[in-house]
Amino acid sequence: MTDRIINFRDFGGVPGAGGQQVASGQLFRSGQSGPLGNAPFDHLPTLGLKLCVDMRFPDEVRQSPMPWRAENRLQVLQMEDGEKRDAPHHAFFAGDLTRPEDVHQLYVSFYRSLPADMRFQSLVKRAVGTMAETGGPVLIHCSAGKDRTGFLAGLMLDILGVDRQTILRDFTLSAHDTAKAALLPEIKRRFALHDRPLPGASVLDAILGVKPDYLAACFAQMERSGGTTATYLQSIGVSDEIQARFRRQFLV
C-alpha cells in the first residue's frame, strides 16, 4: 500500500504582520505516514522541501520512520532527547479515561507543559533559527500532526504576526472528521499494543480531536512568564534578530 501523510496541509496564505501575508506553498504541517492519510507521501518531494522538523521523540521515529529517500536531499531536524516514551499519547494508557472531560484535562495539562520542556525549547530554537536562514518550503510534523505540530505551527504564525483567532482556527482544522478518521487505525493499534481496551466512542473522539483552548492554554503559559511570545522566544535563544529574519523569509 502506498504511504500517505496524515493531516497534511499548507498553513500559509493568511494575513500577517504589517499588512503582509504569510506565503503560501512554503509552510506545511502533517502527521507521520500512514495508510489513511489525505496526501500521498510521494507528493512531498514535488514540493521542493528544504527542511523537515520532526517533533516526535526518538522511540517514535524508530517505530515509524518517515520514508524519505536519499534523493529528497532535505535537512531533517529531530528531538535530541526523549527516550522515556513520554510522547503525549502515552498518557492515555496510564489511567482509566471514562469521560471526554478526562481527556480534555490531559490535553490542557500537556499543552501547558510544552513551553517549559527543554527538549521542545531546543527543537524550537533550532527550527526557527534554521528556517530564518534557509527559508522554505518547510514541513513540520509529529505523529498525529495536531498537538506538538500545532504548538510549533501556532508559534510560527504568531512570529509572523497572524492574529490569535486565525491561529486557533488553523489549529482546529485537525479536528475535521477526515483527520480523525486517518488517525483512528493508529490509535487502535496503540491501545492494543498497551493491552488496553478501546475507550467508548465519546472518549475516543476526544482523543482524536483538538479544542482551541488547548493551544490557548499553551500561549497563556508562554505569556505568563514574559508577557509576550516574543519574550518567551528570546528566553529560549530565538533573538529579535532571528524573529525578524524569519518574518522576512515567510511574509510576502
Side-chain angles (χ1 to χ4, degrees), residues 81-110:
D81 189 19
E83 297 293 338
K84 298 179 181 178
R85 297 184 60 80
D86 44 6
H89 54 267
H90 290 295
F92 298 114
F93 313 116
D96 293 323
L97 300 173
T98 59
R99 306 173 304 155
E101 291 82 2
D102 300 329
V103 177
H104 180 273
Q105 289 304 316
L106 274 177
Y107 271 132
V108 169
S109 177
F110 169 70

Side-chain angles (χ1 to χ4, degrees), residues 95-225:
D96 293 323
L97 300 173
T98 59
R99 306 173 304 155
E101 291 82 2
D102 300 329
V103 177
H104 180 273
Q105 289 304 316
L106 274 177
Y107 271 132
V108 169
S109 177
F110 169 70
Y111 276 86
R112 283 177 178 156
S113 75
L114 278 169
D117 190 316
M118 294 182 67
R119 296 164 300 185
F120 287 109
Q121 289 180 3
S122 173
L123 187 54
V124 168
K125 176 185 175 181
R126 288 184 288 128
V128 175
T130 302
M131 286 185 269
E133 292 297 327
T134 66
V138 171
L139 172 71
I140 62 173
H141 79 90
C142 55
S143 58
K146 65 187 186 74
D147 299 310
R148 291 165 287 183
T149 297
F151 162 58
L152 180 55
L155 193 51
M156 290 163 62
L157 291 177
D158 190 80
I159 296 171
L160 296 172
V162 178
D163 72 87
R164 193 61 53 84
Q165 286 305 115
T166 300
I167 293 173
L168 293 177
R169 205 158 42 238
D170 172 78
F171 176 70
T172 54
L173 290 176
S174 293
H176 193 278
D177 286 345
T178 56
K180 291 193 286 189
L183 290 175
L184 184 57
E186 179 65 11
I187 292 296
K188 288 182 175 179
R189 185 186 73 84
R190 288 172 176 172
F191 270 97
L193 283 174
H194 285 79
D195 198 27
R196 298 298 300 269
L198 205 62
S202 62
V203 171
L204 187 59
D205 186 70
I207 291 172
L208 293 167
V210 295
K211 291 182 178 295
D213 52 331
Y214 299 167
L215 189 58
C218 185
F219 275 117
Q221 193 66 30
M222 284 187 278
E223 293 163 351
R224 188 166 288 121
S225 55

Side-chain angles (χ1 to χ4, degrees), residues 52-57 61 64 66 68 76-79 123 139-143:
C52 171
V53 182
D54 188 339
M55 304 285 288
R56 298 176 298 168
F57 288 102
V61 175
S64 301
M66 291 284 272
W68 299 112
V76 179
L77 297 180
Q78 294 178 323
M79 186 75 68
L123 187 54
L139 172 71
I140 62 173
H141 79 90
C142 55
S143 58

